[in-house]
Structures are given as structure tokens and as C-alpha cells.
Amino acid sequence: MQRLLFVFLATLEASVLGLPGLRESPAAPEPCAAPQQWEGRWVVYDHGTGRNNRAAVSYDALNLRLRVLEQHKKHTPCQRYFEYIYLYQNMVMFQIDQKTQACSKLALTEAWDPFDIPDNSTFEDQYIIGGPGDNVEVQEWSDRKPARKHETWVGVYTLKDCYPVQETYIKNSSVTTSTRFFNLQLGISDPNVFTPPSTCQSARPERMAEAHC
């Protein structure tokens, strides 16, 4: 009984005095759960071509669907703008010319890749974007592993609600694409955006060129 009392008092004294040997180390951050349905906009920068692609996006991870509506830019002669509908349950993608509604139907060759933080990701950093009174706290994660010198994916997500902020992909030690997300809203306001137009009933099997002259 005296021994138990001594241990209790020693533990209590250590907690009061703040002895480092008996403190609990802070738990390592764990990946948050990103929203599974949202709408917003993104800018994808292709480091190979030096081009930015701006689009409105509808994201539905519950049904493995993605709709990308390219946004028109001024002073881009010959440029064609497309709507893309990705249906991963059927492994098909529809490319629709926004002006003519011409449609192509193509097979998807890569598996669904959600905008989230995989469970086996490596925590890199936590920091604040912006300044005093106008900022948001984010966490940065990657797929870096001890046996790999360089990561091939880096994702930045908000700490509070786990919204994607930026994702970067690297191949052969060179950045391939960087995607910035903004103006995100929860949910899908119009599920019909994932339904291809009637012109896709007679879709062509080849991809349409991005320029027409």
C-alpha cells in the first residue's frame, strides 16, 4: 500500500513540476477525411507545356464521377473548349465540344484517383496560408517513403474541413502537373452534369484536337 501511494505521489509531483521524462509525446498527425462530393474551380498547370487550364469542376467520389468544364480564355485564336465527363464505374470518358456539341467517347486506362489524403501518406508540414486576420491553416502530405529519395505526390489540404488546396505530381524527379483548387462548395447542385448530351449517342471513338486551325 505504501509503495502504491509513493508511485501515485511521484506521478502527481512529476505532472505538477512538468518533468519531461513522464510527459506524453504529442500524437503524430493523421490524414483527415476529405469531402466526397463538392463543386468548385481549379487551375491545372502543365509544367511540360507551360499551359494553365482553368475549369469548373464537379467531383463525386461516392459514384466515381468527375465533370470538368473548361473555361473560355480571351485572345486565344483557334482554341477549342471542351466539357469532360469521367465515369469510372464504366471506365469511359466523354469529350464534348462546348460550341458544336460534337462528342467523343474514350476508354479510361487509369483507375479512379480521388482527391484525398491516402492513409499511408507521410506528414510533411503544417502552416498558415495568408496573413493575420485573413488566413487558413493547412497540412502538407506526400507519398514519400524511406526507400524512395523523392516523392511523386504532394497534397495540401485545409486543416479544418480537409478541402484540397493544391496537389502536385512528380515523375522522374520533375514536376509534371500542379493543381490549385478554389471556391469549393459541398455537394452536387445538379447531378445531371454527369449525364452526357444526346450527341454522345453517336460519339466518335477518337479524341478531338484542342485547336481547329
Short mmCIF file of all heavy atoms in Angstrom, two decimals, residues 90-158:
data_model
loop_
_atom_site.label_atom_id
_atom_site.label_comp_id
_atom_site.label_asym_id
_atom_site.label_seq_id
_atom_site.Cartn_x
_atom_site.Cartn_y
_atom_site.Cartn_z
N ASN A 90 -17.91 2.89 -65.25
CA ASN A 90 -17.98 2.31 -66.60
C ASN A 90 -16.67 2.40 -67.35
O ASN A 90 -16.57 1.92 -68.49
CB ASN A 90 -19.09 3.00 -67.41
CG ASN A 90 -20.44 2.94 -66.74
OD1 ASN A 90 -20.95 3.96 -66.28
ND2 ASN A 90 -21.02 1.76 -66.65
N MET A 91 -15.68 3.07 -66.72
CA MET A 91 -14.34 3.26 -67.31
C MET A 91 -14.41 3.90 -68.70
O MET A 91 -13.78 3.48 -69.65
CB MET A 91 -13.59 1.92 -67.37
CG MET A 91 -13.20 1.38 -66.01
SD MET A 91 -12.19 2.55 -65.04
CE MET A 91 -10.64 2.54 -65.97
N VAL A 92 -15.24 4.96 -68.81
CA VAL A 92 -15.34 5.71 -70.05
C VAL A 92 -15.26 7.21 -69.75
O VAL A 92 -15.59 7.66 -68.64
CB VAL A 92 -16.64 5.42 -70.84
CG1 VAL A 92 -16.68 3.97 -71.29
CG2 VAL A 92 -17.85 5.79 -70.00
N MET A 93 -14.82 7.96 -70.76
CA MET A 93 -14.75 9.41 -70.67
C MET A 93 -15.38 10.01 -71.92
O MET A 93 -15.12 9.54 -73.02
CB MET A 93 -13.30 9.88 -70.53
CG MET A 93 -13.16 11.39 -70.36
SD MET A 93 -12.95 12.26 -71.95
CE MET A 93 -11.24 11.90 -72.31
N PHE A 94 -16.21 11.03 -71.73
CA PHE A 94 -16.83 11.73 -72.85
C PHE A 94 -16.17 13.10 -72.98
O PHE A 94 -16.02 13.83 -72.00
CB PHE A 94 -18.33 11.89 -72.63
CG PHE A 94 -19.08 10.59 -72.65
CD1 PHE A 94 -19.32 9.89 -71.47
CD2 PHE A 94 -19.54 10.06 -73.85
CE1 PHE A 94 -20.01 8.69 -71.48
CE2 PHE A 94 -20.23 8.85 -73.87
CZ PHE A 94 -20.46 8.16 -72.69
N GLN A 95 -15.81 13.44 -74.20
CA GLN A 95 -15.24 14.75 -74.54
C GLN A 95 -16.24 15.46 -75.43
O GLN A 95 -16.54 14.99 -76.53
CB GLN A 95 -13.89 14.60 -75.24
CG GLN A 95 -13.25 15.91 -75.66
CD GLN A 95 -12.10 15.70 -76.65
OE1 GLN A 95 -12.08 14.71 -77.38
NE2 GLN A 95 -11.16 16.63 -76.68
N ILE A 96 -16.78 16.58 -74.96
CA ILE A 96 -17.83 17.29 -75.70
C ILE A 96 -17.35 18.68 -76.07
O ILE A 96 -16.91 19.46 -75.20
CB ILE A 96 -19.12 17.40 -74.86
CG1 ILE A 96 -19.61 16.00 -74.45
CG2 ILE A 96 -20.20 18.14 -75.61
CD1 ILE A 96 -19.41 15.67 -73.00
N ASP A 97 -17.42 19.02 -77.33
CA ASP A 97 -17.07 20.36 -77.80
C ASP A 97 -18.16 21.32 -77.31
O ASP A 97 -19.34 21.14 -77.63
CB ASP A 97 -16.99 20.38 -79.33
CG ASP A 97 -16.47 21.69 -79.89
OD1 ASP A 97 -17.00 22.75 -79.52
OD2 ASP A 97 -15.53 21.65 -80.70
N GLN A 98 -17.78 22.33 -76.55
CA GLN A 98 -18.77 23.22 -75.97
C GLN A 98 -19.53 24.02 -77.03
O GLN A 98 -20.69 24.40 -76.80
CB GLN A 98 -18.10 24.18 -74.98
CG GLN A 98 -17.55 23.51 -73.74
CD GLN A 98 -17.04 24.52 -72.74
OE1 GLN A 98 -17.57 25.63 -72.60
NE2 GLN A 98 -15.99 24.16 -72.01
N LYS A 99 -18.93 24.27 -78.18
CA LYS A 99 -19.57 25.09 -79.21
C LYS A 99 -20.46 24.25 -80.11
O LYS A 99 -21.62 24.61 -80.38
CB LYS A 99 -18.51 25.81 -80.04
CG LYS A 99 -19.08 26.76 -81.08
CD LYS A 99 -17.97 27.50 -81.81
CE LYS A 99 -18.53 28.48 -82.83
NZ LYS A 99 -17.45 29.22 -83.54
N THR A 100 -19.97 23.14 -80.60
CA THR A 100 -20.71 22.34 -81.58
C THR A 100 -21.44 21.16 -80.95
O THR A 100 -22.28 20.54 -81.61
CB THR A 100 -19.75 21.79 -82.64
OG1 THR A 100 -18.85 20.86 -82.03
CG2 THR A 100 -18.95 22.92 -83.28
N GLN A 101 -21.10 20.80 -79.71
CA GLN A 101 -21.65 19.64 -79.01
C GLN A 101 -21.21 18.32 -79.64
O GLN A 101 -21.78 17.26 -79.34
CB GLN A 101 -23.18 19.70 -78.93
CG GLN A 101 -23.70 20.78 -77.99
CD GLN A 101 -23.28 20.54 -76.55
OE1 GLN A 101 -23.73 19.59 -75.92
NE2 GLN A 101 -22.42 21.40 -76.03
N ALA A 102 -20.23 18.37 -80.53
CA ALA A 102 -19.64 17.12 -81.04
C ALA A 102 -19.06 16.34 -79.86
O ALA A 102 -18.55 16.92 -78.91
CB ALA A 102 -18.56 17.43 -82.06
N CYS A 103 -19.15 15.00 -79.96
CA CYS A 103 -18.82 14.18 -78.80
C CYS A 103 -17.88 13.03 -79.18
O CYS A 103 -18.04 12.40 -80.23
CB CYS A 103 -20.10 13.62 -78.19
SG CYS A 103 -19.84 12.58 -76.73
N SER A 104 -16.92 12.77 -78.31
CA SER A 104 -16.05 11.60 -78.43
C SER A 104 -16.21 10.76 -77.17
O SER A 104 -16.36 11.28 -76.07
CB SER A 104 -14.58 12.02 -78.59
OG SER A 104 -14.37 12.65 -79.83
N LYS A 105 -16.17 9.45 -77.34
CA LYS A 105 -16.26 8.51 -76.24
C LYS A 105 -14.99 7.68 -76.20
O LYS A 105 -14.67 6.98 -77.17
CB LYS A 105 -17.48 7.60 -76.38
CG LYS A 105 -17.66 6.60 -75.25
CD LYS A 105 -18.91 5.74 -75.48
CE LYS A 105 -19.11 4.73 -74.37
NZ LYS A 105 -20.31 3.88 -74.61
N LEU A 106 -14.26 7.78 -75.09
CA LEU A 106 -12.95 7.13 -74.99
C LEU A 106 -12.89 6.25 -73.75
O LEU A 106 -13.51 6.54 -72.72
CB LEU A 106 -11.85 8.19 -74.92
CG LEU A 106 -11.86 9.26 -76.02
CD1 LEU A 106 -10.90 10.38 -75.67
CD2 LEU A 106 -11.51 8.64 -77.36
N ALA A 107 -12.13 5.17 -73.86
CA ALA A 107 -11.95 4.27 -72.73
C ALA A 107 -10.94 4.86 -71.76
O ALA A 107 -9.90 5.40 -72.16
CB ALA A 107 -11.48 2.90 -73.22
N LEU A 108 -11.24 4.78 -70.47
CA LEU A 108 -10.30 5.21 -69.45
C LEU A 108 -9.30 4.09 -69.18
O LEU A 108 -9.68 2.92 -69.06
CB LEU A 108 -11.04 5.57 -68.16
CG LEU A 108 -11.91 6.84 -68.22
CD1 LEU A 108 -12.75 6.98 -66.96
CD2 LEU A 108 -11.04 8.07 -68.41
N THR A 109 -8.05 4.44 -69.09
CA THR A 109 -6.99 3.42 -68.91
C THR A 109 -6.39 3.45 -67.51
O THR A 109 -5.63 2.55 -67.15
CB THR A 109 -5.87 3.63 -69.94
OG1 THR A 109 -5.35 4.96 -69.80
CG2 THR A 109 -6.41 3.45 -71.35
N GLU A 110 -6.71 4.46 -66.72
CA GLU A 110 -6.17 4.56 -65.36
C GLU A 110 -7.32 4.49 -64.36
O GLU A 110 -8.42 4.95 -64.62
CB GLU A 110 -5.38 5.85 -65.18
CG GLU A 110 -4.15 5.93 -66.09
CD GLU A 110 -3.35 7.20 -65.82
OE1 GLU A 110 -3.78 8.00 -64.96
OE2 GLU A 110 -2.31 7.38 -66.47
N ALA A 111 -7.02 3.93 -63.19
CA ALA A 111 -8.03 3.76 -62.15
C ALA A 111 -8.40 5.10 -61.52
O ALA A 111 -7.67 6.10 -61.64
CB ALA A 111 -7.51 2.80 -61.08
N TRP A 112 -9.53 5.13 -60.86
CA TRP A 112 -10.01 6.32 -60.15
C TRP A 112 -8.97 6.76 -59.12
O TRP A 112 -8.48 5.96 -58.33
CB TRP A 112 -11.33 6.00 -59.47
CG TRP A 112 -11.82 7.01 -58.49
CD1 TRP A 112 -11.70 6.97 -57.13
CD2 TRP A 112 -12.53 8.24 -58.78
NE1 TRP A 112 -12.29 8.06 -56.55
CE2 TRP A 112 -12.81 8.86 -57.55
CE3 TRP A 112 -12.95 8.84 -59.96
CZ2 TRP A 112 -13.48 10.07 -57.46
CZ3 TRP A 112 -13.63 10.04 -59.88
CH2 TRP A 112 -13.89 10.65 -58.64
N ASP A 113 -8.64 8.03 -59.14
CA ASP A 113 -7.67 8.60 -58.21
C ASP A 113 -8.35 9.74 -57.46
O ASP A 113 -8.43 10.86 -57.96
CB ASP A 113 -6.43 9.11 -58.96
CG ASP A 113 -5.35 9.61 -58.03
OD1 ASP A 113 -5.44 9.36 -56.82
OD2 ASP A 113 -4.41 10.28 -58.52
N PRO A 114 -8.85 9.50 -56.25
CA PRO A 114 -9.63 10.51 -55.55
C PRO A 114 -8.77 11.67 -55.05
O PRO A 114 -7.55 11.53 -54.87
CB PRO A 114 -10.21 9.73 -54.36
CG PRO A 114 -9.23 8.63 -54.12
CD PRO A 114 -8.72 8.24 -55.48
N PHE A 115 -9.41 12.81 -54.85
CA PHE A 115 -8.75 13.96 -54.26
C PHE A 115 -8.86 13.83 -52.74
O PHE A 115 -9.78 14.36 -52.12
CB PHE A 115 -9.37 15.26 -54.75
CG PHE A 115 -9.16 15.49 -56.22
CD1 PHE A 115 -10.23 15.49 -57.10
CD2 PHE A 115 -7.89 15.70 -56.73
CE1 PHE A 115 -10.04 15.70 -58.45
CE2 PHE A 115 -7.68 15.91 -58.09
CZ PHE A 115 -8.76 15.90 -58.94
N ASP A 116 -7.94 13.09 -52.17
CA ASP A 116 -7.91 12.90 -50.73
C ASP A 116 -6.49 12.61 -50.29
O ASP A 116 -5.55 12.62 -51.09
CB ASP A 116 -8.87 11.78 -50.31
CG ASP A 116 -8.44 10.41 -50.84
OD1 ASP A 116 -7.40 10.32 -51.53
OD2 ASP A 116 -9.14 9.42 -50.57
N ILE A 117 -6.31 12.35 -49.00
CA ILE A 117 -5.00 12.03 -48.45
C ILE A 117 -4.99 10.54 -48.14
O ILE A 117 -5.68 10.08 -47.23
CB ILE A 117 -4.74 12.82 -47.16
CG1 ILE A 117 -4.94 14.32 -47.40
CG2 ILE A 117 -3.31 12.55 -46.65
CD1 ILE A 117 -4.90 15.14 -46.12
N PRO A 118 -4.25 9.74 -48.88
CA PRO A 118 -4.20 8.29 -48.61
C PRO A 118 -3.75 8.00 -47.18
O PRO A 118 -2.97 8.76 -46.59
CB PRO A 118 -3.18 7.78 -49.63
CG PRO A 118 -3.21 8.80 -50.74
CD PRO A 118 -3.46 10.11 -50.07
N ASP A 119 -4.25 6.90 -46.62
CA ASP A 119 -3.96 6.56 -45.23
C ASP A 119 -2.47 6.36 -44.96
O ASP A 119 -2.00 6.61 -43.86
CB ASP A 119 -4.72 5.28 -44.84
CG ASP A 119 -6.22 5.51 -44.78
OD1 ASP A 119 -6.63 6.68 -44.59
OD2 ASP A 119 -6.98 4.54 -44.93
N ASN A 120 -1.72 5.93 -45.95
CA ASN A 120 -0.30 5.67 -45.75
C ASN A 120 0.58 6.85 -46.11
O ASN A 120 1.78 6.70 -46.33
CB ASN A 120 0.13 4.44 -46.55
CG ASN A 120 -0.08 4.62 -48.05
OD1 ASN A 120 -0.74 5.56 -48.48
ND2 ASN A 120 0.48 3.71 -48.85
N SER A 121 -0.01 8.05 -46.19
CA SER A 121 0.75 9.24 -46.57
C SER A 121 1.70 9.67 -45.45
O SER A 121 1.51 9.34 -44.28
CB SER A 121 -0.19 10.40 -46.91
OG SER A 121 -1.00 10.08 -48.02
N THR A 122 2.71 10.43 -45.83
CA THR A 122 3.70 10.95 -44.88
C THR A 122 3.41 12.42 -44.59
O THR A 122 3.29 13.22 -45.51
CB THR A 122 5.12 10.81 -45.46
OG1 THR A 122 5.41 9.42 -45.66
CG2 THR A 122 6.16 11.40 -44.51
N PHE A 123 3.30 12.74 -43.30
CA PHE A 123 3.07 14.13 -42.91
C PHE A 123 4.34 14.94 -43.15
O PHE A 123 5.42 14.56 -42.72
CB PHE A 123 2.67 14.21 -41.43
CG PHE A 123 2.53 15.61 -40.91
CD1 PHE A 123 1.43 16.38 -41.25
CD2 PHE A 123 3.50 16.15 -40.07
CE1 PHE A 123 1.31 17.68 -40.77
CE2 PHE A 123 3.37 17.44 -39.59
CZ PHE A 123 2.27 18.21 -39.94
N GLU A 124 4.20 16.08 -43.86
CA GLU A 124 5.35 16.91 -44.17
C GLU A 124 5.40 18.20 -43.35
O GLU A 124 6.45 18.55 -42.81
CB GLU A 124 5.35 17.26 -45.67
CG GLU A 124 5.47 16.07 -46.61
CD GLU A 124 6.85 15.43 -46.57
OE1 GLU A 124 7.76 15.97 -45.90
OE2 GLU A 124 7.02 14.37 -47.21
N ASP A 125 4.26 18.90 -43.25
CA ASP A 125 4.31 20.20 -42.58
C ASP A 125 2.90 20.68 -42.30
O ASP A 125 1.93 20.20 -42.89
CB ASP A 125 5.05 21.21 -43.47
CG ASP A 125 5.63 22.37 -42.68
OD1 ASP A 125 5.39 22.44 -41.46
OD2 ASP A 125 6.31 23.22 -43.28
N GLN A 126 2.81 21.64 -41.39
CA GLN A 126 1.55 22.33 -41.11
C GLN A 126 1.85 23.82 -41.03
O GLN A 126 2.78 24.23 -40.33
CB GLN A 126 0.94 21.84 -39.80
CG GLN A 126 -0.41 22.48 -39.47
CD GLN A 126 -1.10 21.79 -38.31
OE1 GLN A 126 -1.10 20.55 -38.20
NE2 GLN A 126 -1.70 22.57 -37.43
N TYR A 127 1.09 24.65 -41.79
CA TYR A 127 1.40 26.07 -41.83
C TYR A 127 0.15 26.86 -42.19
O TYR A 127 -0.91 26.29 -42.48
CB TYR A 127 2.53 26.35 -42.82
CG TYR A 127 2.38 25.70 -44.18
CD1 TYR A 127 1.66 26.32 -45.21
CD2 TYR A 127 2.95 24.46 -44.43
CE1 TYR A 127 1.54 25.72 -46.44
CE2 TYR A 127 2.84 23.86 -45.67
CZ TYR A 127 2.13 24.49 -46.68
OH TYR A 127 2.00 23.88 -47.91
N ILE A 128 0.30 28.16 -42.20
CA ILE A 128 -0.82 29.07 -42.45
C ILE A 128 -0.62 29.76 -43.80
O ILE A 128 0.46 30.28 -44.08
CB ILE A 128 -0.94 30.11 -41.33
CG1 ILE A 128 -1.40 29.43 -40.03
CG2 ILE A 128 -1.92 31.22 -41.72
CD1 ILE A 128 -1.44 30.35 -38.84
N ILE A 129 -1.66 29.73 -44.63
CA ILE A 129 -1.66 30.45 -45.89
C ILE A 129 -2.36 31.79 -45.67
O ILE A 129 -3.47 31.83 -45.14
CB ILE A 129 -2.38 29.65 -46.99
CG1 ILE A 129 -1.63 28.34 -47.27
CG2 ILE A 129 -2.50 30.46 -48.27
CD1 ILE A 129 -2.32 27.45 -48.27
N GLY A 130 -1.73 32.86 -46.08
CA GLY A 130 -2.31 34.18 -45.89
C GLY A 130 -1.61 34.92 -44.77
O GLY A 130 -0.48 34.61 -44.39
N GLY A 131 -2.32 35.92 -44.21
CA GLY A 131 -1.75 36.74 -43.16
C GLY A 131 -2.71 36.94 -42.02
O GLY A 131 -3.81 36.35 -41.99
N PRO A 132 -2.34 37.76 -41.02
CA PRO A 132 -3.18 37.97 -39.84
C PRO A 132 -4.60 38.42 -40.19
O PRO A 132 -4.79 39.34 -40.98
CB PRO A 132 -2.42 39.07 -39.08
CG PRO A 132 -1.01 38.95 -39.53
CD PRO A 132 -1.09 38.53 -40.97
N GLY A 133 -5.57 37.72 -39.63
CA GLY A 133 -6.97 38.07 -39.87
C GLY A 133 -7.52 37.59 -41.18
O GLY A 133 -8.72 37.73 -41.44
N ASP A 134 -6.69 37.05 -42.03
CA ASP A 134 -7.14 36.57 -43.34
C ASP A 134 -6.27 35.39 -43.75
O ASP A 134 -5.39 35.51 -44.60
CB ASP A 134 -7.07 37.70 -44.36
CG ASP A 134 -7.69 37.32 -45.70
OD1 ASP A 134 -8.37 36.28 -45.75
OD2 ASP A 134 -7.48 38.05 -46.69
N ASN A 135 -6.50 34.26 -43.11
CA ASN A 135 -5.61 33.12 -43.34
C ASN A 135 -6.36 31.81 -43.18
O ASN A 135 -7.50 31.78 -42.69
CB ASN A 135 -4.41 33.17 -42.38
CG ASN A 135 -4.85 33.21 -40.93
OD1 ASN A 135 -5.51 32.30 -40.45
ND2 ASN A 135 -4.48 34.27 -40.21
N VAL A 136 -5.73 30.74 -43.59
CA VAL A 136 -6.28 29.40 -43.43
C VAL A 136 -5.13 28.45 -43.11
O VAL A 136 -4.04 28.55 -43.68
CB VAL A 136 -7.04 28.95 -44.71
CG1 VAL A 136 -6.11 28.93 -45.92
CG2 VAL A 136 -7.66 27.58 -44.50
N GLU A 137 -5.35 27.57 -42.15
CA GLU A 137 -4.32 26.64 -41.73
C GLU A 137 -4.43 25.36 -42.56
O GLU A 137 -5.53 24.82 -42.76
CB GLU A 137 -4.46 26.32 -40.25
CG GLU A 137 -3.24 25.63 -39.66
CD GLU A 137 -3.24 25.64 -38.14
OE1 GLU A 137 -4.27 26.01 -37.55
OE2 GLU A 137 -2.21 25.26 -37.54
N VAL A 138 -3.30 24.87 -43.04
CA VAL A 138 -3.28 23.70 -43.92
C VAL A 138 -2.22 22.71 -43.45
O VAL A 138 -1.32 23.04 -42.68
CB VAL A 138 -2.99 24.11 -45.39
CG1 VAL A 138 -4.06 25.05 -45.92
CG2 VAL A 138 -1.61 24.72 -45.53
N GLN A 139 -2.37 21.49 -43.93
CA GLN A 139 -1.37 20.46 -43.73
C GLN A 139 -0.87 19.98 -45.08
O GLN A 139 -1.63 19.91 -46.05
CB GLN A 139 -1.93 19.28 -42.93
CG GLN A 139 -2.14 19.57 -41.47
CD GLN A 139 -2.57 18.34 -40.68
OE1 GLN A 139 -3.05 17.35 -41.26
NE2 GLN A 139 -2.40 18.37 -39.38
N GLU A 140 0.39 19.63 -45.12
CA GLU A 140 1.02 19.13 -46.35
C GLU A 140 1.41 17.67 -46.15
O GLU A 140 2.04 17.31 -45.15
CB GLU A 140 2.25 19.97 -46.68
CG GLU A 140 2.93 19.60 -47.98
CD GLU A 140 4.09 20.54 -48.29
OE1 GLU A 140 3.84 21.75 -48.46
OE2 GLU A 140 5.24 20.05 -48.34
N TRP A 141 1.01 16.85 -47.12
CA TRP A 141 1.28 15.41 -47.07
C TRP A 141 1.95 14.97 -48.37
O TRP A 141 1.86 15.66 -49.38
CB TRP A 141 -0.03 14.63 -46.88
CG TRP A 141 -0.72 14.93 -45.58
CD1 TRP A 141 -1.53 15.99 -45.30
CD2 TRP A 141 -0.66 14.15 -44.39
NE1 TRP A 141 -1.98 15.92 -44.00
CE2 TRP A 141 -1.47 14.81 -43.42
CE3 TRP A 141 -0.03 12.95 -44.04
CZ2 TRP A 141 -1.63 14.31 -42.13
CZ3 TRP A 141 -0.19 12.45 -42.76
CH2 TRP A 141 -0.99 13.12 -41.82
N SER A 142 2.60 13.81 -48.33
CA SER A 142 3.23 13.29 -49.54
C SER A 142 3.24 11.76 -49.49
O SER A 142 2.87 11.15 -48.48
CB SER A 142 4.66 13.81 -49.68
OG SER A 142 5.55 13.10 -48.82
N ASP A 143 3.66 11.15 -50.60
CA ASP A 143 3.82 9.70 -50.63
C ASP A 143 5.28 9.31 -50.43
O ASP A 143 5.70 8.21 -50.80
CB ASP A 143 3.28 9.12 -51.95
CG ASP A 143 4.05 9.61 -53.17
OD1 ASP A 143 4.89 10.53 -53.03
OD2 ASP A 143 3.81 9.09 -54.27
N ARG A 144 6.07 10.22 -49.86
CA ARG A 144 7.49 9.96 -49.60
C ARG A 144 7.65 8.79 -48.63
O ARG A 144 6.99 8.72 -47.60
CB ARG A 144 8.15 11.21 -49.04
CG ARG A 144 9.63 11.05 -48.71
CD ARG A 144 10.20 12.40 -48.30
NE ARG A 144 9.47 12.98 -47.18
CZ ARG A 144 9.73 12.70 -45.89
NH1 ARG A 144 10.68 11.84 -45.57
NH2 ARG A 144 9.02 13.28 -44.93
N LYS A 145 8.55 7.89 -48.96
CA LYS A 145 8.84 6.74 -48.12
C LYS A 145 10.35 6.63 -47.92
O LYS A 145 11.12 7.11 -48.75
CB LYS A 145 8.29 5.45 -48.76
CG LYS A 145 6.77 5.43 -48.88
CD LYS A 145 6.12 5.39 -47.50
CE LYS A 145 4.60 5.38 -47.58
NZ LYS A 145 4.01 6.65 -47.99
N PRO A 146 10.80 5.99 -46.84
CA PRO A 146 12.24 5.91 -46.58
C PRO A 146 13.05 5.31 -47.72
O PRO A 146 14.18 5.71 -47.96
CB PRO A 146 12.31 5.01 -45.33
CG PRO A 146 11.00 5.23 -44.65
CD PRO A 146 10.00 5.41 -45.76
N ALA A 147 12.48 4.36 -48.44
CA ALA A 147 13.24 3.70 -49.51
C ALA A 147 13.23 4.52 -50.81
O ALA A 147 13.89 4.14 -51.77
CB ALA A 147 12.67 2.31 -49.78
N ARG A 148 12.48 5.62 -50.83
CA ARG A 148 12.38 6.43 -52.04
C ARG A 148 12.97 7.81 -51.76
O ARG A 148 12.63 8.46 -50.78
CB ARG A 148 10.92 6.56 -52.46
CG ARG A 148 10.72 7.34 -53.76
CD ARG A 148 9.25 7.63 -54.00
NE ARG A 148 8.48 6.41 -54.05
CZ ARG A 148 7.22 6.32 -53.63
NH1 ARG A 148 6.63 7.36 -53.10
NH2 ARG A 148 6.57 5.18 -53.72
N LYS A 149 13.86 8.26 -52.61
CA LYS A 149 14.51 9.55 -52.38
C LYS A 149 13.56 10.71 -52.57
O LYS A 149 13.60 11.69 -51.84
CB LYS A 149 15.71 9.71 -53.34
CG LYS A 149 16.89 8.79 -53.02
CD LYS A 149 18.06 9.10 -53.93
CE LYS A 149 19.25 8.22 -53.59
NZ LYS A 149 20.41 8.51 -54.48
N HIS A 150 12.68 10.59 -53.56
CA HIS A 150 11.80 11.71 -53.88
C HIS A 150 10.35 11.25 -53.89
O HIS A 150 10.03 10.13 -54.30
CB HIS A 150 12.16 12.30 -55.25
CG HIS A 150 13.58 12.77 -55.34
ND1 HIS A 150 14.03 13.90 -54.71
CD2 HIS A 150 14.63 12.26 -56.02
CE1 HIS A 150 15.31 14.07 -54.97
NE2 HIS A 150 15.71 13.09 -55.77
N GLU A 151 9.46 12.13 -53.44
CA GLU A 151 8.04 11.84 -53.50
C GLU A 151 7.55 12.01 -54.93
O GLU A 151 8.15 12.72 -55.74
CB GLU A 151 7.27 12.77 -52.56
CG GLU A 151 7.43 14.23 -52.86
CD GLU A 151 8.61 14.85 -52.13
OE1 GLU A 151 9.43 14.11 -51.57
OE2 GLU A 151 8.73 16.09 -52.13
N THR A 152 6.42 11.36 -55.24
CA THR A 152 5.80 11.53 -56.55
C THR A 152 4.47 12.26 -56.45
O THR A 152 3.86 12.57 -57.47
CB THR A 152 5.58 10.17 -57.23
OG1 THR A 152 4.68 9.38 -56.42
CG2 THR A 152 6.88 9.41 -57.39
N TRP A 153 4.02 12.53 -55.22
CA TRP A 153 2.77 13.27 -54.99
C TRP A 153 2.90 14.09 -53.72
O TRP A 153 3.42 13.61 -52.70
CB TRP A 153 1.59 12.31 -54.87
CG TRP A 153 0.34 12.95 -54.32
CD1 TRP A 153 -0.60 13.65 -55.01
CD2 TRP A 153 -0.09 12.97 -52.94
NE1 TRP A 153 -1.59 14.11 -54.16
CE2 TRP A 153 -1.30 13.70 -52.89
CE3 TRP A 153 0.44 12.44 -51.76
CZ2 TRP A 153 -1.98 13.92 -51.70
CZ3 TRP A 153 -0.24 12.66 -50.56
CH2 TRP A 153 -1.45 13.38 -50.55
N VAL A 154 2.45 15.33 -53.79
CA VAL A 154 2.38 16.20 -52.62
C VAL A 154 1.01 16.85 -52.62
O VAL A 154 0.58 17.41 -53.63
CB VAL A 154 3.48 17.29 -52.64
CG1 VAL A 154 3.31 18.22 -51.43
CG2 VAL A 154 4.87 16.67 -52.64
N GLY A 155 0.30 16.74 -51.50
CA GLY A 155 -1.04 17.31 -51.39
C GLY A 155 -1.12 18.27 -50.22
O GLY A 155 -0.60 17.99 -49.14
N VAL A 156 -1.78 19.40 -50.43
CA VAL A 156 -2.02 20.39 -49.38
C VAL A 156 -3.52 20.46 -49.15
O VAL A 156 -4.29 20.70 -50.09
CB VAL A 156 -1.47 21.78 -49.77
CG1 VAL A 156 -1.75 22.80 -48.67
CG2 VAL A 156 0.03 21.69 -50.05
N TYR A 157 -3.94 20.24 -47.89
CA TYR A 157 -5.36 20.20 -47.55
C TYR A 157 -5.61 21.07 -46.33
O TYR A 157 -4.76 21.19 -45.43
CB TYR A 157 -5.79 18.75 -47.26
CG TYR A 157 -5.98 17.93 -48.51
CD1 TYR A 157 -4.89 17.49 -49.25
CD2 TYR A 157 -7.26 17.60 -48.95
CE1 TYR A 157 -5.07 16.74 -50.41
CE2 TYR A 157 -7.43 16.85 -50.11
CZ TYR A 157 -6.34 16.43 -50.83
OH TYR A 157 -6.52 15.70 -51.98
N THR A 158 -6.80 21.70 -46.28
CA THR A 158 -7.12 22.55 -45.13
C THR A 158 -7.24 21.70 -43.88
O THR A 158 -7.71 20.57 -43.91
CB THR A 158 -8.43 23.31 -45.36
OG1 THR A 158 -9.52 22.39 -45.51
CG2 THR A 158 -8.34 24.20 -46.60
#
